Amino acid sequence: MNKVTIIGLGYVGLSLAAFLGTKTNVVGVDSNSERISILERGKSYFYEPKLEYYLKKSMNKGLKFEHEVSSNTLSSDFVFVTVGTPINNDKIDLRNIKNVIQKISELLSNVKQCPSIVIKSTVIPGTTDQIIKPILSEYGLKEYIDFNLLTNPEFLKEGSAMHDTVFPHVIVIGGSNEKPIKKLVNFYNCVYPKKQKIIQTNNITAEVIKYANNSFLATKLSFINSIANLCQRLPGTNVDKIAEVIGMDPRIGNQFLRAGPGYGGSCFPKDVQALISFANSVGYKPDLLDAVKRTNLDQITSVLNLIKNNLKTLEGKRITILGSAFKENTDDIREAPALSIIDALTTLGATITAYDPEAMATARTIFGDAIQLEKTNYAAIENADGLLLLTEWQAFRNPNFERLKIMMRNPVIFDGRNIFDPVHLRQMGFNYYGIGRK
Ligand code: UGA
């Protein structure tokens, strides 16, 4: 049985630990002791469907947690590095990953073993060969003798992280030598007996694949949001119908064509920006990506204009926000459209009441008492002058509209995710406004 160490227990690292722990010997490491003590109780410190189920299953099979990398945790066949690579002043911040690699190098220089260090964190092209490898070399460590170094970007989505980890659509492995790549391929073939699609390449290509993948999806979203904005000016059009039909073209595909308030989360905004900055640094001006980013930022303004045009003034108005998470099935509000929209609405004088099935605690850390967070969607809607839906939670899809109409001071619905039926709502006497559904 292989021994695996996973350093950095965020969405990627923890999902991987929870899954691999059901198959093999795993130690998860995170420098945040508070998180470790929560995990040791079989609990997750963030909401992610099915994560605790796998966590408990793995812990029963011996999954262990540590709050620092030690020579013991490092005596593994594979050391997956899954620490965060945030953005700082529009550039990727590699401090976490450099610290981890330094620590690994220090420990490795005192023992005789040759683990495969697998970089799963999203890193700008060239990081593995030009930044990580030199750190290991500075400690006198030799590749293929003291360590192997591989890249293995992750494609899981928050909200379906466990599903995506258990059933990855592809596994990409970058490396500079066939033998260590094969070792990881064999490991994955044991973990995934159904034989997943495994693509082998070099480190820098694997790094670019990750950015290209996220940037392409972000491009699709900005594209459909542009079409939605066009529809907004063309009475009778419906962006959902357009997305449905173009999505039938297998060359386009039907996913990531839902118009909305723009993409958020901890990945797309950060990765598109990091790729733009990286491209500029190597002398290429990525006009398309600049436009993708700009279109996404403008989408917030489009949503605000929808509200302003219909309510005229926001001064003293009570607006209900349903959903603060950046998407459904997560309590993550990082870069969520709700953040800038709520800020703008309060600046314009509106009072905000909000509800999210899972993201209330995280919303409280950002907004404190500046907005009123309620325990149910109905409590949030009471006396509202307008309802703005921002996250497409299942629980929001079929409310009792009769009840809403009675509860609201002004029955107007701004459907930021196009989840309601406009015809039905208009028949019921609501003023309904969707995105690109004129
Ligand atoms: C994204 C990628 O989809 C993953 O493949 C990748 O591994 C991950 O980033 C990462 O780099 O770690 P994630 O950010 O978790 O995953 O969530 P997505 O489901 O991609 O959603 C991103 C944003 O796009 C959300 O704000 C979502 O609401 C928005 N979106 C998505 C739409 O507005 N419309 C759609 O049709 C789909």
Side-chain angles (χ1 to χ4, degrees), residues 154-158 210 214 217 221 256-258 262-264 267-268 271 326-327 392 417:
E154 178 55 56
F155 301 100
L156 67 76
K157 303 176 289 301
E158 288 181 27
K210 171 66 192 181
N214 272 3
L217 292 171
L221 294 178
F256 277 70
L257 284 179
R258 278 179 289 114
Y263 58 76
C267 302
F268 286 177
D271 292 349
F326 82 98
K327 59 185 270 192
E392 68 280 33
R417 296 282 182 171

Side-chain angles (χ1 to χ4, degrees), residues 146-161:
D146 300 309
F147 68 91
N148 294 312
L149 188 58
L150 300 165
T151 327
N152 177 209
E154 178 55 56
F155 301 100
L156 67 76
K157 303 176 289 301
E158 288 181 27
S160 59

Side-chain angles (χ1 to χ4, degrees), residues 231-288:
C231 290
Q232 209 61 48
R233 287 154 182 84
L234 303 175
T237 53
N238 181 346
V239 72
D240 300 327
K241 189 51 80 189
I242 296 164
E244 183 190 335
V245 178
I246 66 171
M248 287 172 181
D249 184 331
R251 293 169 300 177
I252 296 175
N254 62 5
Q255 294 192 42
F256 277 70
L257 284 179
R258 278 179 289 114
Y263 58 76
S266 65
C267 302
F268 286 177
K270 156 178 98 75
D271 292 349
V272 170
Q273 182 57 59
L275 190 54
I276 291 172
S277 299
F278 174 73
N280 280 314
S281 77
V282 294
Y284 174 64
K285 197 175 168 311
D287 291 334
L288 176 64

